[in-house]
Amino acid sequence: MADMILKAEQISKKYRRPTKMASHFEAVKTLDFSLKKGKLIEICGRSGSGKSTLLYMMAGLLKPTSGRILALGFEESAEDIDLFSLSDEKLSRFRNRHFGVIPQGQTGLYSLTVMQNVLVPASVYSDSKAYEERAKELLELVGIPHLAASRMQELSGGEMRRMAVARALVTDSDFIFADEPTDDLDDENTKIVLQLLRKIADSGKSVLLVSHESSAKDYADEVFRMDVGEFVKN
């Protein structure tokens, strides 16, 4: 649906810290934020600025301390959907249907092949066989089709990152959340991944990109900078 919007209203995230000087650490201060389809939005900032925390809240993986994340215009309901008011099962199904996540770091199930890892999101609530051609296409796009039958322990860090990109895109999700997707990649493969995310946004999807990569801004429709848990002017 062209009018799908993911909207954060007055969200914040605080963590308890067992110290005398400060009982709480505010990773994200109260803010509003929204994502629309057809846009690639980048959030940049120093490590610890709160950008990844915001991404995981928007992706329905981290519950805000205050505020709410609303899904507007989704076919599941004529009403706005408050993500964190859903049961765990319903939220899991919603994320699986609409969200693709490229997590930070090297992630993968070591007991599975690269192809099997890419197909994991498709196998949770549906028949992964229907997505095999899409998985092959994505492995080709990220430059690792020859590794389809390889295991995680046979891959370099950069190859694992590219596998994670393919995995997040395999179910053709409406919203893609990419947390430092170009870590461990050389310049050529960084360009390939950023171009692919741009292409995904141009196809009508929404992409939220967290990145330290200076060239990422060249692919974004809008860039937000975070510092100490809040947005600041670029």
Side-chain angles (χ1 to χ4, degrees), residues 173-225:
S173 300
D174 300 298
F175 290 79
I176 301 298
F177 300 90
D179 190 6
E180 302 288 358
T182 57
D183 268 10
D184 299 320
L185 299 186
D186 57 24
D187 290 345
E188 180 182 355
N189 283 301
T190 290
K191 184 177 180 181
I192 288 171
V193 168
L194 291 174
Q195 287 178 338
L196 179 56
L197 293 176
R198 179 67 258 175
K199 183 178 179 181
I200 293 296
D202 289 339
S203 74
K205 311 297 183 183
S206 176
V207 178
L208 178 59
L209 169 66
V210 162
S211 181
H212 286 106
E213 183 64 45
S214 60
S215 62
K217 66 180 184 299
D218 298 331
Y219 298 85
D221 294 295
E222 195 169 1
V223 178
F224 292 84
R225 179 174 294 279

Side-chain angles (χ1 to χ4, degrees), residues 61-213:
L61 291 166
L62 182 64
K63 186 176 182 178
T65 303
S66 62
R68 57 183 185 166
I69 311 287
L70 297 176
L72 291 67
F74 286 69
E75 61 191 57
E76 281 86 351
S77 173
E79 305 287 330
D80 297 346
I81 300 169
D82 183 347
L83 293 191
F84 290 99
S85 70
L86 299 175
S87 67
D88 288 345
E89 181 183 357
K90 287 183 178 180
L91 179 55
S92 176
R93 286 183 175 274
F94 186 90
R95 287 196 309 256
N96 183 261
R97 184 173 185 180
H98 295 290
F99 297 167
V101 179
I102 306 169
Q104 193 174 130
Q106 299 170 8
T107 60
L109 297 174
Y110 277 69
S111 61
L112 304 180
T113 66
V114 168
M115 174 61 76
Q116 289 168 336
N117 266 281
V118 171
L119 288 170
V120 163
S123 67
V124 178
Y125 296 112
S126 58
D127 183 0
S128 63
K129 290 183 179 179
Y131 295 88
E132 286 181 356
E133 288 303 315
R134 172 63 172 166
K136 292 176 183 178
E137 176 189 355
L138 287 165
L139 289 176
E140 185 75 41
L141 287 172
V142 298
I144 54 171
H146 57 292
L147 297 174
S150 300
R151 304 272 175 176
M152 294 298 100
Q153 56 267 33
E154 301 172 57
L155 272 57
S156 68
E159 289 165 346
M160 292 181 79
R161 294 300 296 150
R162 284 181 278 166
M163 180 280 295
V165 171
R167 183 182 58 198
L169 302 179
V170 72
T171 57
D172 200 28
S173 300
D174 300 298
F175 290 79
I176 301 298
F177 300 90
D179 190 6
E180 302 288 358
T182 57
D183 268 10
D184 299 320
L185 299 186
D186 57 24
D187 290 345
E188 180 182 355
N189 283 301
T190 290
K191 184 177 180 181
I192 288 171
V193 168
L194 291 174
Q195 287 178 338
L196 179 56
L197 293 176
R198 179 67 258 175
K199 183 178 179 181
I200 293 296
D202 289 339
S203 74
K205 311 297 183 183
S206 176
V207 178
L208 178 59
L209 169 66
V210 162
S211 181
H212 286 106
E213 183 64 45

